[in-house]
Amino acid sequence: EPEVTQTPSHQVTQMGQEVILRCVPISNHLYFYWYRQILGQKVEFLVSFYNNEISEKSEIFDDQFSVERPDGSNFTLKIRSTKLEDSAMYFCASSEALEAYEQYFGPGTRLTVT
Amino acid sequence: GIQVEQSPPDLILQEGANSTLRCNFSDSVNNLQWFHQNPWGQLINLFYIPSGTKQNGRLSATTVATERYSLLYISSSQTTDSGVYFCAVPGYSSASKIIFGSGTRLSIRP
């Protein structure tokens, strides 16, 4: 069964450093998403991406964040200058289409900012 | 925006017991998903169930869209069922994001 994959599974970085989280969505999916879950809290939407541009973003997704689909398979989330409060689990998801379509989630990347 | 409430927040059961988890949502939806977050933090898709009933092994789910709730049933619980169960629905006036509930933390004792 096709699945979304994410690398790395765990990333430790120092405050102020740039990090790139990587995702490989399911191959025939057209819509891609990033979500975040701070420890002990809800899963929160960050951004959706379609046709090489952002479709929607949340208030959390400020200028420190960017997304890119650098080739036909990878989807990345970059945090330019990490803060302590960026420590969280980051999930990538993909779907065939938008409304009324299932979003498939990857296993997540645990980001720890020290 | 749409509100998603899950109950109970915590549930502790003995292995072999059955359980029912509830998800209420404040507006009509055309999509609802159930997830299991295991102790390692991974989110696992359980059901995509905008309406009706589905079953997968010991798990089943029912969504009554007109009454704005969904139920997840777990029968003959095993310790591997422990974790947090989330339901999620599309965001109001948003075609892309899904909104997660706060989850039900299930602990199965051996």
Side-chain angles (χ1 to χ4, degrees):
Chain A
E1 186 176 326
E3 58 182 17
V4 177
T5 59
Q6 291 186 242
T7 55
S9 56
H10 191 188
Q11 172 102 36
V12 181
T13 190
Q14 288 192 326
M15 198 165 50
Q17 296 296 304
E18 174 184 285
V19 295
I20 297 176
L21 310 183
R22 291 183 165 79
C23 167
V24 178
I26 294 173
S27 61
N28 65 331
H29 285 185
L30 301 176
Y31 295 83
F32 315 115
Y33 314 85
W34 284 101
Y35 290 80
R36 177 182 86 172
Q37 184 186 33
I38 294 171
L39 186 65
Q41 298 186 21
K42 286 187 193 183
V43 179
E44 302 172 288
F45 169 79
L46 288 178
V47 66
S48 59
F49 190 86
Y50 168 70
N51 199 25
N52 280 321
E53 60 183 31
I54 291 173
S55 303
E56 184 176 359
K57 59 183 180 179
S58 72
E59 292 175 354
I60 304 166
F61 194 89
D62 62 21
D63 292 345
Q64 291 298 310
F65 292 89
S66 62
V67 289
E68 192 179 28
R69 190 154 161 84
D71 53 42
S73 58
N74 289 283
F75 178 50
T76 62
L77 174 69
K78 183 193 291 186
I79 309 175
R80 287 190 183 80
S81 178
T82 50
K83 306 182 186 72
L84 294 176
E85 54 264 37
D86 293 327
S87 295
M89 192 76 151
Y90 288 82
F91 295 101
C92 172
S94 69
S95 65
E96 289 182 62
L98 275 177
E99 287 194 71
Y101 279 83
E102 185 172 3
Q103 292 189 16
Y104 292 82
F105 279 68
T109 292
R110 187 173 299 282
L111 176 66
T112 303
V113 182
T114 61
Chain B
I2 193 166
Q3 303 298 314
V4 185
E5 294 181 358
Q6 292 187 243
S7 59
D10 294 279
L11 190 57
I12 301 173
L13 298 171
Q14 288 297 124
E15 201 167 23
N18 302 329
S19 58
T20 301
L21 282 56
R22 187 176 180 103
C23 172
N24 291 333
F25 39 94
S26 60
D27 207 343
S28 58
V29 299
N30 58 5
N31 179 357
L32 186 140
Q33 295 186 235
W34 280 99
F35 298 89
H36 175 214
Q37 186 166 39
N38 65 23
W40 297 269
Q42 298 173 331
L43 270 181
I44 299 160
N45 287 52
L46 294 178
F47 292 102
Y48 168 71
I49 184 162
S51 63
T53 297
K54 288 188 179 179
Q55 179 145 11
N56 184 2
R58 295 180 296 102
L59 273 62
S60 65
T62 295
T63 296
V64 184
T66 52
E67 297 186 23
R68 301 179 186 173
Y69 73 89
S70 182
L71 301 173
L72 178 69
Y73 305 98
I74 305 173
S75 64
S76 304
S77 301
Q78 300 175 358
T79 54
T80 51
D81 294 330
S82 295
V84 184
Y85 290 81
F86 292 102
C87 66
V89 300
Y92 181 70
S93 75
S94 166
S96 56
K97 66 183 177 187
I98 58 175
I99 305 296
F100 283 73
S102 298
T104 291
R105 181 174 298 278
L106 179 64
S107 301
I108 304 298
R109 305 287 193 228

